[in-house]
Amino acid sequence: MIHLAVRFPDEFASGRRDRKLVSEAASRLHWGAPTSLPDICDDPNISLFIKTDDPTPAQLKRFGPGGLPRWLLRREFKNNLWREALLRQQWPKWLVMRFADVVKPDTQQRILSIWDRIKSLIRYPPTELQRSRSPALHLGIWALYSLWPYITADSLQKIPMAHKLSAASLKKARERQKLAIEGLDEILGIVRAEVVPVLEPLMREHAPEGDLVQSAIHRRVRRLLRRELRLRPNLDFGGLFFTIALKEGCSEFLHIDWNDCLHRYAIIFCMGDYDNGEFCTPQLGHRIPLPPGAVLVVRTRLLAHCAVSGAGRRLVFTCFTDSSLLARIVTGDYAFL
C-alpha cells in the first residue's frame, strides 16, 4: 500500500463537465509536464494500492452533501433499497490499483495477431484531439445521451452513405464490414474468456464497492438487449464493465474521462513491445509504470491523466461503465453522476 501525503484530488468533483477545466487546473496549480513526474515505484512488476489523505469536510461539499452526488439525494427511487445501497457503497477505498501479470504473454500475442490482421479493415471514428493524436474504438454497450442502452456504433462498423454506393462497392464494403466485426469479436472474446475471469476475483477482493449496482446494470442490459447479445455474445463482459476503448498508441494529452462514473473505476491494460508506458497523473505527483500484461484500476473521472509516448507499439484497452448506464438503473430516469 502507498499512502501519498497529498490532498485528496477534488478538482473535478463538482459535476461540471468542461474540457477547459483540466487546462485551467494545470495552469492554476502549476502542474508542469506530467510526463516528467517521478515514477511511484521502481519495480513495475509488483501490485500497488494507492490512496491520498482523506477528503476534508470542505472538499466533500464539492461532491454533494455528505460527499454524495447531489442527484442521489434529491431524486426519488422506485426501490429505496437502491439509495441505501449507494449510500453504503459510495466511496471506493483506493484511487489507483495496479496488478501485475494479469494478461498472459500468449493472450497478448494472439490479440496482437488478430489486430494486425484487421486494423486496415476497421472504420475508425474521428480522433478526440483533446486527448490523443490517434483514434480510439469504443466497443461494447453504453447509454451515452440516451435513455436506453445500445451497442456502440464502432462495434457495428456501419457503412457510411451506403445508399449512395454502387452495387459492387456496397458488396465490397459489406465484406470489409463482416471481416472487421469478426476480428473485433475474436479480440473481445479473448478478453471475455481469459482476462475478465482473472479480473473478477481481484475486483471482488480489493474493490467490492458497487457490486450490487453493477449487477443490476448487467441484468437490465441483458434484458433490453437480449436479441443483440445473442447475436454478439462477446460484447457481454459479465457486468464488470460494459465498454472498451481500444486504440493503438496512447492518450498523450492530459484529460479527464468525463463520461465515466465519478465513484467507479476504469480498468486499463496494454500489450505490445513498447518502452515506457507510464500512466501520469499530476494530482498524485507521480507516474505509474504500466508494463505489458499489467492492469491499472483507476478513477479516471477524478484524476487528470495522460500517458508517456515511447518507442514501440502499444495496444491499449480502457474498460469502463459510462455514467448514463449507472444513472439510469439507480434512478429510473435520465441523470448523470
Side-chain angles (χ1 to χ4, degrees):
M1 185 191 86
I2 297 177
H3 185 160
L4 299 173
V6 297
R7 70 192 297 274
F8 183 83
D10 67 335
E11 292 84 0
F12 309 106
S14 66
R16 177 187 164 202
R17 297 173 180 231
D18 189 338
R19 295 170 182 171
K20 295 179 182 178
L21 289 177
V22 178
S23 57
E24 290 172 359
S27 176
R28 184 177 70 254
L29 300 173
H30 309 289
W31 281 346
T35 56
S36 64
L37 294 168
D39 288 349
I40 199 166
C41 174
D42 293 331
D43 187 347
N45 297 311
I46 62 171
S47 295
L48 296 176
F49 301 89
I50 303 169
K51 64 183 298 185
T52 62
D53 293 340
D54 291 334
T56 65
Q59 286 180 304
L60 287 174
K61 289 180 180 179
R62 300 202 66 192
F63 291 89
L68 301 169
R70 290 175 177 82
W71 66 262
L72 177 61
L73 299 172
R74 69 171 177 254
R75 290 183 177 273
E76 295 297 327
F77 283 69
K78 291 182 178 179
N79 182 345
N80 204 48
L81 291 176
W82 283 116
R83 188 195 303 272
E84 296 176 13
L86 285 179
L87 290 173
R88 290 194 307 270
Q89 300 181 15
Q90 198 57 56
W91 278 100
K93 183 176 181 180
W94 309 104
L95 283 168
V96 183
M97 297 179 283
R98 187 186 70 189
F99 303 106
D101 195 31
V102 171
V103 188
K104 303 303 179 186
D106 174 66
T107 300
Q108 297 178 49
Q109 287 303 316
R110 282 185 287 125
I111 288 176
L112 288 169
S113 176
I114 299 167
W115 177 253
D116 286 339
R117 190 183 80 223
I118 67 168
K119 64 182 181 180
S120 63
L121 302 172
I122 292 171
R123 290 182 173 85
Y124 297 88
T127 301
E128 297 179 81
L129 295 175
Q130 77 277 7
R131 65 175 70 200
S132 178
R133 296 186 183 95
S134 53
L137 295 169
H138 290 88
L139 306 172
I141 295 163
W142 60 14
L144 199 60
Y145 309 121
S146 172
L147 296 176
W148 308 102
Y150 59 91
I151 292 176
T152 66
D154 293 339
S155 301
L156 299 173
Q157 289 288 291
K158 290 184 176 180
I159 301 170
M161 306 294 288
H163 63 286
K164 293 189 176 182
L165 298 177
S166 67
S169 296
L170 183 58
K171 180 180 178 181
K172 187 176 179 180
R174 284 175 174 165
E175 290 173 354
R176 172 182 169 178
Q177 178 190 44
K178 180 175 181 291
L179 291 172
I181 289 175
E182 287 175 351
L184 290 172
D185 276 359
E186 279 188 73
I187 290 174
L188 298 178
I190 294 173
V191 171
R192 184 175 182 244
E194 301 180 28
V195 180
V196 169
V198 181
L199 286 171
E200 283 177 330
L202 289 172
M203 295 300 289
R204 279 196 299 269
E205 179 180 358
H206 300 290
E209 308 90 358
D211 279 354
L212 180 63
V213 173
Q214 290 293 119
S215 296
I217 298 173
H218 188 225
R219 288 194 299 272
R220 179 173 183 262
V221 165
R222 285 182 61 84
R223 185 178 73 251
L224 295 176
L225 299 180
R226 184 181 295 109
R227 177 179 177 275
E228 292 88 341
L229 290 176
R230 189 164 56 245
L231 296 172
R232 302 281 300 277
N234 290 334
L235 299 180
D236 182 356
F237 307 107
L240 184 63
F241 49 83
F242 293 86
T243 314
I244 296 179
L246 173 61
K247 71 183 306 173
E248 185 167 347
C250 69
S251 297
E252 58 268 53
F253 305 133
L254 196 65
H255 66 280
I256 284 285
D257 292 346
W258 295 106
N259 291 322
D260 289 9
C261 300
L262 189 59
H263 295 283
R264 296 290 183 270
Y265 293 107
I267 299 172
I268 305 169
F269 56 91
C270 309
M271 51 194 70
D273 57 358
Y274 59 89
D275 297 326
N276 300 319
E278 291 85 356
F279 179 92
C280 312
T281 174
Q283 288 151 290
L284 302 184
H286 289 85
R287 308 187 311 180
I288 304 168
L290 186 60
V295 165
L296 196 68
V297 181
V298 57
R299 294 176 67 179
T300 50
R301 173 61 180 81
L302 198 61
L303 294 171
H305 57 281
C306 63
V308 176
S309 56
R313 182 170 67 150
R314 187 183 336 180
L315 191 62
V316 183
F317 293 72
T318 302
C319 314
F320 63 97
T321 300
D322 88 89
S323 57
S324 301
L325 274 178
L326 174 63
R328 183 66 178 157
I329 192 64
V330 298
T331 65
D333 60 4
Y334 187 69
F336 277 117
L337 259 176

